[in-house]
Amino acid sequence: MSAAASRGEYSATVLLSQKVRKDRESDYRRWQDRLTELARGFDGFDGTEVYPPEDGADGEWVVIFRFDRADQLMAWLDSSERRQMLEEGRPLFEGLPVQDVLAGEPPLPEAVTAVISHHVLTSREPQFVRWHAKLQKVQEKAPGYMGHELFRPVPGVQENWVSIVRFDTHEHLENWLSSTARGKLLDDGRDTFASYDVRRIRSAFSGWFRFGRESGTTTVPPNWKQAMCVLLGLYPTVMVLNLTVGKALQAAKTPAYLALFISNVLSVSILTWAVMPLISRALEFWLAPGPTAPGRTHALGALAVVLGYAALLALFGPTVG
């Protein structure tokens, strides 16, 4: 939570979705770093998060800027320095970025987050609020639902109503977004809004992989890199537990369901507080390469992880052979 929020004041957040040209991603990363440095020089800057495209997202990056107060965010958004940076970066993008300004403390984009913008019809705001409350009651019952917040427009900056909803998995979120119940509710609310837009922010293991906190910028690696690292940490953790705690529980004739639960508690705890922090630090060069990192960094990091798999298989193979 930001300093302003801890004092009971409203904070302000802007979410930017921008489609980066495929051949300009390295240039974009450098440009984005410069934009973050620019924002850091403005009063109230609280942090930035950068989310690369998901698989199949066709180059759409999501960037989040946080400020302590809405007026401080607006000062940065309206600044001549930022306008100049946007003009410099225009050749990097296909089309204009989609921008949502949220006045308030938004939920952290852990797990899977959908950002939904509604262009509400003039004079239909009260009806929209009632419709959205009805939507929310149904949404809360959907499997995997974790939280939701609705943000009103910010006059002169953000004209749309923006809702943020979080689910525990991508599958649960997609099931809700494509559900018959939601489709019927959207049909019921058509007389309150002219259009809506849905964007997704996903990081399946984002609690384990966050880089750049010291500089105020958070970078979340692509999910395929995260999954490779989790496997690198999970396999030896489970093997060691099976060879030690597992054998002890078996000797004590512990019921299988209880033994599995104890092993899961231990493996998750060890991964979260011991193994994954070590792996993320060791592979930071690959998980969050800097803007000047050579292109071969991605291949070298993946090769290092694969060699790690091979070493672990060679190590544990004789113990269970």
Side-chain angles (χ1 to χ4, degrees), residues 210-291:
R210 294 289 183 126
F211 300 97
R213 284 175 171 166
E214 296 81 0
S215 62
T217 303
T218 301
T219 300
V220 180
N223 285 332
W224 66 272
K225 289 187 179 182
Q226 298 183 38
M228 287 184 70
C229 288
V230 171
L231 177 59
L232 183 65
L234 181 62
Y235 176 70
T237 301
V238 172
M239 286 299 298
V240 170
L241 286 174
N242 283 342
L243 294 172
T244 56
V245 177
K247 289 186 176 180
L249 292 173
Q250 186 177 14
K253 300 187 186 307
T254 305
Y257 72 90
L258 182 57
L260 182 60
F261 176 77
I262 293 172
S263 296
N264 284 342
V265 169
L266 291 174
S267 62
V268 169
S269 300
I270 293 170
L271 276 175
T272 301
W273 287 290
V275 176
M276 293 315 302
L278 291 174
I279 290 177
S280 63
R281 283 197 296 271
L283 295 174
E284 183 173 354
F285 77 96
W286 174 63
L287 292 166

Side-chain angles (χ1 to χ4, degrees), residues 142-165:
Y145 172 81
M146 294 180 65
H148 169 270
E149 193 161 355
L150 178 65
F151 295 87
R152 294 175 176 268
V154 180
V157 178
Q158 168 64 37
E159 300 303 322
N160 288 343
W161 291 66
V162 180
S163 61
I164 294 182
V165 59

Side-chain angles (χ1 to χ4, degrees), residues 169-190:
T169 66
H170 177 72
E171 181 181 7
H172 281 150
L173 173 62
E174 293 302 324
N175 287 345
W176 162 246
L177 292 177
S178 61
S179 66
T180 302
R182 183 173 181 271
K184 184 177 184 305
L185 285 163
L186 288 174
D187 290 339
D188 292 344
R190 290 295 182 185

Side-chain angles (χ1 to χ4, degrees), residues 228 283 285-287 296-307:
M228 287 184 70
L283 295 174
F285 77 96
W286 174 63
L287 292 166
R296 64 179 181 274
T297 299
H298 301 285
L300 290 175
L303 177 61
V305 175
V306 171
L307 291 175

